[in-house]
Amino acid sequence: MNIIFLGIILLAFFTSAYHQLTWVPSGADDIAPMQALTTALIEASKSSVELAIGLVGVMAFFLGLMKVAEAGGLLHIIARLLRPLMVRLFPDVPEDHPAMGAMIMNMSANALGLGNAATPFGIRAMQELDKLNPVKGTASNAMVLFLAINTSSVTLLPTGIIALRASAGSADPAGIIPTTLFATLCSTTAAILAAKFYQRFFVIDAQKASSDIDSSVGPGHIDYEVTDELPDANSAAYPAWISYLSLLCIVAFVPLAIVYGRSIGPWIIPVFVVSLLSFGAYQGVRVYEVFVEGAKDGFNVAIKIIPYLIAILVAIAMFRESGAMHVMISAVGSVTILVGFPAEALPMALLRPLSGSGAYGVVAATLQDPAIGPDSYVGYLVSTLQGSTETTFYVLAVYFGAVQVRQVRHALAAGLTADLVGIIAATAACYYLYA
């Protein structure tokens, strides 16, 4: 991100410098390119803080609701639903191993848009998977598949981007739920298929694996210790038919949401609020106290992102005002527009796999742009991309770094394949609904 941030600033400066040196004023009211760049810088700094302040209330509200749902055990219900599917996806991981529970909890948190809660479970899962890894320092097939699914996880509720759209004045902040669900279902399916397919070309040295196992835990046996740190995740799963029926309902909701998206949209937020609070109350949660506790976390999150917003919004504003963005968009956008992908969404698609904070700043700047707005086709598309794709390089660096894995094998290829499919699916869904 250091290189990207500095590169955008330098490119904007040198582009404006060129325009300044070749500038010929045509009237007294003309603004010099460098003066326009300075004005854009200052205005972007102000608007980024205003955006963050407007985001505080919405973020606090949504995280308060999610805290109620979490306290009521919704995360663990989803975990139990996923367990029969996980056993089939990860046949190399014993059913009662802590890695299985940690992976389930990670995916459940991602499905609810709880990125902060998902990361600790993801790191824990990688640590447990590493105990089953026969070749230390090299990613196992289970590690790669978990990372691929993690970077494309099915998202039922993209709470963060809904909050951002609401703060940007959207009349339909939850309108991205069906498009995000469709895109993540497609990208997750692609991630699983890609990881299974690519592993054929990245075979682990069986002789080395055998020798590592022999020297560590004995012939043909990998020892592990089941702990009680994740008791709910490792508790008895629901019957398999319930899990598959739930998955079928989610898949069936996608075409319904796409066809009737405009009719369903106004209902989503009110029904969501009533459902989560009612669920929490039914589970015996003191909904008011827990909501307030979660809202405090939302306030802290909104405040913490102010420096990131300032940095990226200023850089993007300078890049746009200098004319460098126009040159890039004109060059590449003339090709992507042919397949329904507008040039204005290109910065988001290119930056999202590299930097989460950078992509967040880009989508925030796009939604705040008066020429675009949150409820335009581009606004829906960049919002869907933010909610349905992941910072692939960051996830690989953090999760593999936690277990000192240097040979990532096909993990990056699988993750980027899922990102590409997610972008295509998001474009198709948004084009159908909002173009």
Side-chain angles (χ1 to χ4, degrees):
M1 191 56 200
N2 292 325
I3 297 175
I4 294 173
F5 175 70
L6 182 60
I8 291 175
I9 296 290
L10 292 178
L11 187 57
F13 172 79
F14 286 117
T15 302
S16 290
Y18 170 78
H19 289 157
Q20 179 72 36
L21 294 174
T22 58
W23 179 60
V24 178
S26 59
D29 295 334
D30 282 0
I31 301 176
M34 274 298 176
Q35 181 60 44
L37 188 69
T38 301
T39 302
L41 185 156
I42 295 173
E43 291 300 321
S45 300
K46 293 179 181 178
S47 63
S48 60
V49 176
E50 293 170 357
L51 173 63
I53 292 175
L55 186 60
V56 168
V58 185
M59 184 73 78
F61 179 75
F62 275 100
L63 288 189
L65 286 176
M66 297 312 299
K67 189 72 174 180
V68 172
E70 185 180 359
L74 183 60
L75 203 64
H76 298 141
I77 292 174
I78 296 177
R80 292 179 66 189
L81 285 172
L82 286 177
R83 191 174 183 83
L85 304 176
M86 293 290 289
V87 171
R88 291 182 176 274
L89 281 176
F90 295 89
D92 297 335
V93 180
E95 183 177 352
D96 57 345
H97 194 276
M100 188 66 77
M103 287 192 293
I104 291 173
M105 296 297 282
N106 169 268
M107 295 176 190
S108 302
N110 276 329
L112 294 176
L114 302 175
N116 292 334
T119 301
F121 288 123
I123 293 176
R124 165 71 189 281
M126 290 299 287
Q127 292 171 338
E128 295 297 337
L129 287 173
D130 193 50
K131 296 178 181 179
L132 299 172
N133 188 7
V135 183
K136 303 302 181 185
T138 298
S140 65
N141 289 336
M143 286 179 169
V144 172
L145 179 57
F146 171 64
L147 261 295
I149 294 175
N150 196 276
T151 60
S152 62
S153 181
V154 172
T155 304
L156 302 176
L157 192 68
T159 50
I161 191 62
I162 289 177
L164 181 60
R165 287 177 54 80
S167 68
S170 172
D172 184 21
I176 62 164
I177 288 181
T179 56
T180 300
L181 180 57
F182 176 74
T184 52
L185 280 172
C186 293
S187 62
T188 301
T189 302
I192 295 171
L193 296 177
K196 296 288 187 180
F197 177 74
Y198 293 151
Q199 74 183 35
R200 302 177 182 180
F201 306 101
F202 293 85
V203 181
I204 298 177
D205 188 340
Q207 184 175 0
K208 180 180 180 181
S210 178
S211 63
D212 286 352
I213 294 174
D214 291 344
S215 62
S216 59
V217 293
H221 175 69
I222 301 178
D223 191 22
Y224 64 88
E225 179 183 356
V226 178
T227 66
D228 294 327
E229 295 180 33
L230 295 170
D232 292 305
N234 286 322
S235 60
Y238 292 118
W241 68 269
I242 295 181
S243 298
Y244 293 124
L245 181 61
S246 301
L247 180 62
L248 182 62
C249 290
I250 293 174
V251 173
F253 176 74
V254 173
L256 290 175
I258 291 177
V259 174
Y260 301 104
R262 294 185 182 275
S263 300
I264 295 175
W267 288 82
I268 291 178
I269 294 297
V271 170
F272 170 69
V273 172
V274 172
S275 298
L276 289 192
L277 291 178
S278 300
F279 173 79
Y282 177 77
Q283 295 292 339
V285 176
R286 299 178 66 86
V287 291
Y288 176 75
E289 288 86 347
V290 174
F291 177 90
V292 170
E293 200 61 35
K296 292 179 183 178
D297 294 337
F299 179 86
N300 294 331
V301 169
I303 295 300
K304 287 178 181 178
I305 66 174
I306 290 180
Y308 298 99
L309 283 177
I310 292 175
I312 197 64
L313 288 182
V314 167
I316 293 298
M318 293 177 65
F319 193 58
R320 180 187 294 115
E321 188 63 38
S322 69
M325 179 176 286
H326 176 72
V327 174
M328 183 193 75
I329 287 176
S330 298
V332 184
S334 58
V335 178
T336 60
I337 193 67
L338 299 176
V339 292
F341 194 87
E344 294 83 356
L346 275 174
M348 177 65 190
L350 296 175
L351 192 58
R352 182 60 173 148
L354 297 172
S355 168
S357 58
Y360 193 87
V362 170
V363 70
T366 304
L367 298 182
Q368 289 289 320
D369 189 342
I372 299 175
D375 295 329
S376 64
Y377 168 59
V378 174
Y380 279 109
L381 179 56
V382 296
S383 300
T384 301
L385 291 176
Q386 174 70 19
S388 61
T389 55
E390 185 53 88
T391 315
T392 301
F393 287 89
Y394 171 81
V395 170
L396 263 64
V398 171
Y399 284 17
F400 280 136
V403 290
Q404 288 79 51
V405 167
R406 293 181 173 83
Q407 300 295 326
V408 300
R409 299 174 65 223
H410 52 297
L412 180 59
L416 293 179
T417 299
D419 287 340
L420 178 60
V421 172
I423 291 172
I424 295 172
T427 304
C430 290
Y431 187 83
Y432 180 83
L433 277 180
Y434 304 115

